[in-house]
Amino acid sequence: MGEDGESPKINHSFLRDYVTEADVISTVEFNQTGDLLATGDKGGRVVIFQRETEPKGESEELCESGEYNVYSTFQSHEPDFDYLKSLEIEEKINKIRWLPQQNAAHFLLSTNDKTIKLWKVSERDKRPEGYNLKDEEGRIKDISTVTSLRVPVLKPTDLMVEVRPRRIFANGHTYHVNSISVNSDGETYLSADDLRINMWHLDITDRSFNIVDIKPANMEDLTEVITAAEFHPHHCHMFVYSSSKGTLRLCDMRESALCDKHSKIFEEPEDPGNRSFFSEIISSVSDVKFSHSGRYLLTRDYLTVKVWDLNMEKGPVETYQVHEYLRSKLCSLYENDCIFDKFECVWNSTDSVIMTGAYNSFFRMFDRETGRGVTLEAWRESSKPRAVLRTRRVYTGGRRRRGDVGVDSLDFSKKILHMAWHPAENIIAIAATNNLYIFQDRVNPENQ
Amino acid sequence: MTKCLLGCHPCFRLNMFSKGTKRKFSDGGEEISEETLVGARMASSYSLQRQSLLDMSLIKLQLCHMLVEPNLCRSVLIANTVRQIQEEMTHDGSWQVVTEAFCSAGQSPSERLVATEVLCRSREQDAEPKLFSVISYEGCREEEVVADETLCSVSVSDAVSNVCLAGSIGQCWEKSDVETDDEALEDSRLGSGEDEEIDTEDEPSREGPKTIGQVFGTFEIKNSSPGPDSALEELFSDVDTSYYDLDTMLTGMQSAPKMGPYDLLDSLAPSHGSSSIVSAPNCRSDLNELDHIMEIIVGS
């Protein structure tokens, strides 16, 4: 991950093209302050980056340089095997969510298809020295050599980051876990798989409450699955989940123990003019996010991102076309399975800009005030460190500008599925296969 | 790879509808207008593309079964697409064409179904009376019941992959006025020798295209989490064997049936002495008698 230095003598380009499957990044998440950025990959590893802070000379302010460097790496999940079904359980990290910080240590939840783990990330930069009974290497001293007593003192050492698993929440899910979300109460979290949503207490690993169950009595009647779920950012009793049929269901846990009946259902009526055999597939919601304000919902389906007002159920208040030029290619995209790609979407810190990924290493940002969208590219060849990103365009007709990319030359293997936006500043992290790109807005670093 | 234009489905739909509307010709109406021809051509190309989409979807469902547990969301979406196509095809009446094509190949799919069912049946089952009712469908004689043991064994080990396909046959049954008791198809079981079916549906469904559900049935796992289904129940869960038939349907589509009625003798295991296949033991005993007579004649 990150940029490799290139030797001028040896041509490493062929090595660069070889991507180890295990290195493909599968999730990206900032913590609540934005100082830490965690990524999970297909090999079950988690890499945490920390933002560098450089104190500026005489000025009292700490100037954040904005550089993120590796802070810690650990193996979160191992490949597993389900002996009953003779199937492998992938170690791929599906989601990482940070807990709000309560003390010096940081906690994060990471999950693969079946098991959620709580990790404690702590620093150690001191160690005790001067034991009476042990020598420097830890061996027990011969008592006869001890002539006087001393008090051990803490001496500074090189910074060590320790990561330890604190809880393992296993056996809660029959199906594949697609989402985890920490509750605003700081004590519970939810985990959602294809058919069920469970609520856990962070301290209790042997029990979880099932709060949504959409498994039909006859599996043959199954036509809809859960695709994503999230707790409301402020109301600890409310959460939303999305389905493969394009519906969003808002649930209130105060109403009943089992929230199979939704409080509100958000659904956009189908456009009869655009009806095809692929209508249902492209309406499937791949990601849902509450706005920071808690007033809006952001959803991503195959061709669009939509903003919904929690007070209006009959349809989205805003719809943005991500790559409408793919509508005529749906059959080919169905054939090569690209139509099932699950793109994520994110809000910026003030909920004024939304962002999502696309193909060909492109990602799109939409300004909600102007309604305009811009296409940017996360690709090593075209961006040097600290260079300004130029906007890209997919040619769909009209006057062709230099630099436009034709629809047929799009690389569908380069998909931007996972991304994160800093909680306070205009810094974004984009995962492009096995590379992590971090972009910062130098013009408007802070949000007004 | 055929380039499908089914993404532009609406325009084809329009043409399909328009071909049915009445046209007024100023010249008396005997001539077929070029537009109607074009419309018909587009309609048939639409059907071709729809068919190829159906085939593609079925193959995708079949390829689900790999080392890692397949993606349930993807399977559900593909299965829904298949259902949609089937519904439209039955609506258009083109589903009948599909089933007739099989019958014209010399064998009604129902016969093959029964045959595979018989072979794959294990000892306990009470479905024999129902079996007779299936056999009596359209007055087929027993000799014409063909059992393809290879199909059966393929189905046994690849049950999941065949599962999804039967949904289409299931609908076929309903449309073809078959008096088949659906339960006959459902109650046949594989027997406990089948490891892979352990986790499938524990409740035999009583209705139509249930087999798509078998795909999802394999996603059930028995683990320590408490649930209404007991592990024992799942161990002895029923398996709907009607999903074999789409596999036979597909193989039937590609080539003429490889086995004639009397090939049954070669493939029939002696343990499967179901009384429904009367011809086999009869033929066997005939042969034995013939041998016996020959021995007497030859005087050995």
Side-chain angles (χ1 to χ4, degrees):
Chain A
M1 283 186 237
E3 306 280 311
D4 296 323
E6 297 212 308
S7 158
K9 292 179 199 151
I10 306 168
N11 183 6
H12 287 294
S13 57
F14 73 97
L15 281 176
R16 224 196 334 207
D17 292 344
Y18 173 70
V19 175
T20 319
E21 191 68 11
D23 291 335
V24 173
I25 300 173
S26 49
T27 184
V28 189
E29 184 79 355
F30 280 100
N31 74 337
Q32 275 77 6
T33 59
D35 288 335
L36 295 175
L37 174 65
T39 63
D41 65 23
K42 266 188 152 189
R45 279 175 313 226
V46 172
V47 180
I48 304 177
F49 297 84
Q50 188 186 44
R51 193 173 188 187
E52 293 302 316
T53 59
E54 293 171 10
K56 253 202 185 283
E58 290 95 34
S59 161
E60 289 191 352
E61 277 178 33
L62 281 175
C63 172
E64 308 239 20
S65 71
E67 296 257 334
Y68 281 82
N69 296 321
V70 178
Y71 178 67
S72 173
T73 305
F74 62 96
Q75 186 75 31
S76 169
H77 286 73
E78 297 277 358
D80 205 349
F81 196 78
D82 183 337
Y83 296 96
L84 238 30
K85 297 176 85 173
S86 295
L87 291 171
E88 289 180 1
I89 299 173
E90 280 190 317
E91 66 274 28
K92 172 168 77 96
I93 308 295
N94 292 335
K95 282 280 159 16
I96 290 176
R97 290 287 182 264
W98 291 91
L99 265 53
Q101 194 177 6
Q102 287 173 335
N103 50 34
H106 299 274
F107 288 87
L108 63 81
L109 286 169
S110 70
T111 184
N112 69 346
D113 284 338
K114 300 284 183 185
T115 306
I116 306 130
K117 294 188 185 180
L118 178 69
W119 295 89
K120 178 179 178 183
V121 184
S122 49
E123 288 183 7
R124 194 199 292 206
D125 59 357
K126 299 180 192 26
R127 51 167 276 212
E129 271 178 35
Y131 283 105
N132 291 298
L133 297 175
K134 288 190 289 187
D135 67 13
E136 293 307 311
E137 274 98 60
R139 288 181 301 226
I140 308 288
K141 276 189 198 170
D142 185 3
I143 292 194
S144 55
T145 63
V146 177
T147 51
S148 61
L149 287 178
R150 57 190 173 156
V151 178
V153 289
L154 289 172
K155 291 259 167 72
T157 59
D158 293 333
L159 179 66
M160 249 188 3
V161 180
E162 282 183 336
V163 183
R164 287 219 195 96
R166 296 309 297 247
R167 305 268 188 273
I168 297 184
F169 303 91
N171 298 321
H173 290 280
T174 306
Y175 304 96
H176 291 179
V177 176
N178 53 54
S179 318
I180 46 175
S181 175
V182 183
N183 204 349
S184 51
D185 65 7
E187 290 184 344
T188 56
Y189 74 95
L190 65 74
S191 58
D193 67 27
D194 295 314
L195 297 178
R196 296 190 179 103
I197 302 181
N198 292 337
M199 190 167 95
W200 307 77
H201 191 284
L202 284 165
D203 291 333
I204 301 170
T205 59
D206 59 355
R207 257 174 305 155
S208 74
F209 287 103
N210 177 244
I211 52 178
V212 173
D213 189 343
I214 64 168
K215 178 169 180 271
N218 258 333
M219 276 298 268
E220 303 135 3
D221 299 333
L222 180 65
T223 56
E224 194 173 9
V225 298
I226 297 170
T227 51
E230 200 184 39
F231 266 121
H232 191 281
H234 311 310
H235 302 305
C236 57
H237 52 84
M238 221 192 295
F239 65 94
V240 71
Y241 69 92
S242 60
S243 80
S244 57
K245 284 202 164 156
T247 61
L248 303 169
R249 287 179 174 84
L250 191 69
C251 298
D252 189 333
M253 293 193 289
R254 297 171 301 186
E255 281 180 14
S256 70
L258 190 60
C259 297
D260 278 356
K261 243 182 75 177
H262 49 264
S263 302
K264 288 192 182 181
I265 181 162
F266 299 82
E267 203 169 2
E268 186 173 22
E270 199 176 5
D271 175 13
N274 263 337
R275 179 113 180 75
S276 76
F277 285 121
F278 306 109
S279 294
E280 188 186 309
I281 300 179
I282 62 169
S283 73
S284 171
V285 174
S286 54
D287 194 16
V288 65
K289 294 264 169 50
F290 274 102
S291 65
H292 291 90
S293 61
R295 163 94 188 262
Y296 297 98
L297 281 168
L298 178 66
T299 59
R300 174 73 154 98
D301 50 65
Y302 192 63
L303 296 177
T304 69
V305 275
K306 297 186 165 106
V307 176
W308 305 73
D309 186 327
L310 280 188
N311 300 319
M312 190 170 98
E313 297 156 75
K314 63 172 166 20
V317 289
E318 294 156 33
T319 302
Y320 301 93
Q321 303 294 337
V322 179
H323 37 207
E324 177 69 11
Y325 44 80
L326 294 183
R327 192 180 287 273
S328 54
K329 309 267 174 203
L330 289 179
C331 199
S332 313
L333 293 165
Y334 179 74
E335 199 170 356
N336 63 15
D337 270 5
C338 281
I339 208 175
F340 301 108
D341 286 336
K342 292 195 180 335
F343 293 95
E344 288 173 12
C345 54
V346 290
W347 297 91
N348 75 336
S349 53
T350 54
D351 301 336
S352 58
V353 179
I354 55 185
M355 180 170 72
T356 188
Y359 294 107
N360 207 65
S361 308
F362 287 166
F363 58 100
R364 302 265 279 144
M365 265 193 220
F366 299 96
D367 183 334
R368 290 183 64 209
E369 277 147 49
T370 63
R372 278 204 301 225
V374 73
T375 305
L376 299 164
E377 189 179 17
W379 180 231
R380 200 199 287 244
E381 302 293 339
S382 51
S383 51
K384 302 193 182 331
R386 302 182 188 285
V388 174
L389 271 183
R390 61 192 176 94
T391 61
R392 305 302 311 269
R393 218 168 75 117
V394 176
Y395 176 69
T396 51
R399 196 169 73 94
R400 191 176 185 134
R401 280 190 242 144
R402 190 155 48 104
D404 280 4
V405 181
V407 179
D408 291 320
S409 12
L410 291 173
D411 188 344
F412 290 95
S413 66
K414 297 202 178 72
K415 35 194 118 182
I416 306 287
L417 301 171
H418 311 289
M419 49 184 36
W421 201 306
H422 191 286
E425 297 179 34
N426 282 339
I427 302 174
I428 54 177
I430 309 280
T433 330
N434 64 331
N435 290 316
L436 180 71
Y437 291 84
I438 300 177
F439 300 110
Q440 186 169 14
D441 187 347
R442 289 288 183 188
V443 177
N444 299 308
E446 317 271 87
N447 286 300
Q448 287 85 16
Chain B
M1 274 204 281
T2 34
K3 271 245 152 153
C4 265
L5 300 174
L6 280 174
C8 297
H9 165 77
C11 58
F12 287 115
R13 257 223 105 80
L14 242 41
N15 278 322
M16 278 202 73
F17 287 142
S18 64
K19 83 174 179 206
T21 55
K22 219 167 179 184
R23 306 187 73 87
K24 284 187 184 158
F25 294 109
S26 48
D27 56 359
E30 243 12 69
E31 287 173 351
I32 304 167
S33 88
E34 200 180 305
E35 278 181 36
T36 329
L37 270 177
V38 168
R41 234 178 273 133
M42 289 187 92
S44 64
S45 102
Y46 168 78
S47 311
L48 274 172
Q49 289 176 345
R50 180 176 63 183
Q51 183 62 45
S52 102
L53 180 65
L54 176 65
D55 295 338
M56 201 201 307
S57 307
L58 294 174
I59 291 170
K60 278 184 185 296
L61 281 175
Q62 276 197 309
L63 292 176
C64 272
H65 200 62
M66 300 171 307
L67 208 54
V68 185
E69 209 167 351
N71 190 333
L72 184 61
C73 181
R74 178 177 173 272
S75 305
V76 167
L77 289 173
I78 298 174
N80 288 350
T81 308
V82 168
R83 260 195 216 106
Q84 236 186 306
I85 297 174
Q86 283 176 3
E87 270 167 25
E88 195 182 276
M89 285 175 93
T90 42
H91 201 64
D92 288 344
S94 28
W95 195 250
Q96 292 299 332
V97 176
V98 168
T99 58
E100 276 157 33
F102 301 139
C103 295
S104 67
Q107 246 148 354
S108 161
S110 66
E111 295 169 318
R112 292 171 148 250
L113 167 70
V114 168
T116 55
E117 191 191 53
V118 163
L119 279 189
C120 299
R121 178 185 303 281
S122 78
R123 43 277 167 197
E124 333 137 37
Q125 298 336 315
D126 53 349
E128 274 174 25
K130 297 167 188 163
L131 189 59
F132 282 120
S133 70
V134 175
I135 289 182
S136 62
Y137 162 61
E138 286 180 5
C140 324
R141 291 159 298 147
E142 280 100 357
E143 303 87 89
E144 282 175 37
V145 171
V146 169
D148 187 350
E149 185 157 294
T150 54
L151 277 178
C152 184
S153 57
V154 162
S155 306
V156 160
S157 58
D158 282 309
V160 174
S161 55
N162 291 331
V163 144
C164 31
L165 310 180
S168 35
I169 273 288
Q171 275 194 321
C172 157
W173 298 138
E174 287 155 36
K175 296 298 168 188
S176 323
D177 298 321
V178 172
E179 290 310 309
T180 316
D181 189 345
D182 273 353
E183 292 176 333
L185 310 175
E186 294 145 25
D187 287 354
S188 66
R189 285 152 210 200
L190 278 178
S192 53
E194 183 41 62
D195 292 334
E196 292 200 5
E197 294 316 299
I198 285 175
D199 300 322
T200 52
E201 266 318 293
D202 37 342
E203 305 137 319
S205 149
R206 304 284 149 189
E207 63 225 52
K210 55 212 140 332
T211 52
I212 285 184
Q214 295 297 337
V215 179
F216 311 129
T218 59
F219 294 106
E220 290 284 340
I221 61 165
K222 291 177 298 197
N223 55 18
S224 52
S225 64
D229 314 319
S230 79
L232 273 179
E233 226 181 337
E234 285 183 4
L235 262 177
F236 299 123
S237 63
D238 295 344
V239 165
D240 180 5
T241 53
S242 61
Y243 53 69
Y244 299 144
D245 42 6
L246 193 61
D247 192 50
T248 68
M249 184 171 92
L250 281 180
T251 53
M253 274 167 81
Q254 258 98 47
S255 59
K258 297 184 182 74
M259 296 175 80
Y262 295 106
D263 292 348
L264 171 65
L265 297 177
D266 299 333
S267 52
L268 199 58
S271 57
H272 289 93
S274 168
S275 53
S276 57
I277 303 192
V278 178
S279 58
N282 278 346
C283 286
R284 273 246 166 104
S285 54
D286 282 344
L287 280 176
N288 288 338
E289 268 178 43
L290 202 57
D291 278 344
H292 184 63
I293 291 164
M294 284 304 296
E295 277 176 9
I296 295 169
I297 293 169
V298 169
S300 53

